[in-house]
Amino acid sequence: MKTAKFLLTCLLVTFSFAAYAKSVNAQALPARIRSYLNTNYSGWALNSVANNCYPKFKRAVVIGDFDGDKKREYVVKIAQGQRGYFIALLDRRGDYEAHVLESLSIAEMKRTGLSISRRGEKYIVDYDNQIYGRLSNDAPLIGTCESHAWNRIYRNGRFQ
């Protein structure tokens, strides 16, 4: 009987900690981003699951300067129901402009990671010929871990 109570207590503490950690991560996002997600993706949750990936690809949020305006901008990986989304949120005078970078099934999302490449890093321009360029701004890196991930580069008002 004591063992069952102990195990039940351990489970409750674990679930409480997981719920607390989820809320702390979500609260780390600016209020306007949380508000946008609550309005447009009711029931959303940050999701860092990326099966078989290195830890640097198991992120739910990356922060950088994606459009070169020297402002703090975000890419979030969220789950809503049976869909997963990678959404870039660019700072526009205190508000945020949203760009959906990927929309996937939950199963696909569990195999897809999120990381970031920093300004000045090399990236592949032409995969077949292995031509490299240098990033002029930070860029989210999304894909099935390191071997099949591509930078989403912001140019001319959109991510490419």
Side-chain angles (χ1 to χ4, degrees), residues 135-152:
L135 293 170
S136 56
N137 300 310
D138 298 335
L141 185 60
I142 299 170
T144 52
C145 303
E146 300 76 12
S147 60
H148 293 92
W150 290 271
N151 289 109
R152 303 311 197 273

Side-chain angles (χ1 to χ4, degrees), residues 32 67 69 71-73 89-97:
R32 289 183 189 229
D67 61 2
D69 64 359
K71 295 180 182 170
R72 188 179 190 129
E73 296 157 335
L89 297 129
L90 304 181
D91 190 314
R92 297 293 183 251
R93 297 185 183 137
D95 204 359
Y96 289 91
E97 176 182 282

Side-chain angles (χ1 to χ4, degrees), residues 69-140:
D69 64 359
K70 308 281 189 253
K71 295 180 182 170
R72 188 179 190 129
E73 296 157 335
Y74 297 79
V75 174
V76 296
K77 178 182 178 185
I78 64 166
Q80 179 206 29
Q82 294 302 310
R83 299 293 304 165
Y85 302 91
F86 292 84
I87 304 170
L89 297 129
L90 304 181
D91 190 314
R92 297 293 183 251
R93 297 185 183 137
D95 204 359
Y96 289 91
E97 176 182 282
H99 297 260
V100 176
L101 305 178
E102 294 285 338
S103 173
L104 310 165
S105 71
I106 288 295
E108 292 171 310
M109 192 169 124
K110 288 180 181 178
R111 296 186 307 265
T112 307
L114 172 64
S115 189
I116 188 168
S117 296
R118 296 292 179 188
R119 179 178 181 225
E121 288 184 23
K122 284 185 178 182
Y123 73 102
I124 297 174
V125 177
D126 183 349
Y127 193 77
D128 293 334
N129 295 322
Q130 297 290 311
I131 299 170
Y132 293 89
R134 292 219 179 253
L135 293 170
S136 56
N137 300 310
D138 298 335

Side-chain angles (χ1 to χ4, degrees), residues 16-67:
S16 297
F17 179 75
Y20 171 76
K22 176 184 166 188
S23 99
V24 167
N25 284 336
Q27 289 172 359
L29 292 172
R32 289 183 189 229
I33 290 178
R34 289 193 319 267
S35 176
Y36 169 82
L37 294 172
N38 289 337
T39 300
N40 295 285
Y41 298 91
S42 178
W44 67 276
L46 290 172
N47 185 306
S48 61
V49 175
N51 295 335
N52 303 315
C53 290
Y54 291 116
K56 79 173 203 164
F57 260 80
K58 294 182 178 188
R59 298 183 184 180
V61 177
V62 294
I63 301 169
D65 177 13
F66 304 115
D67 61 2

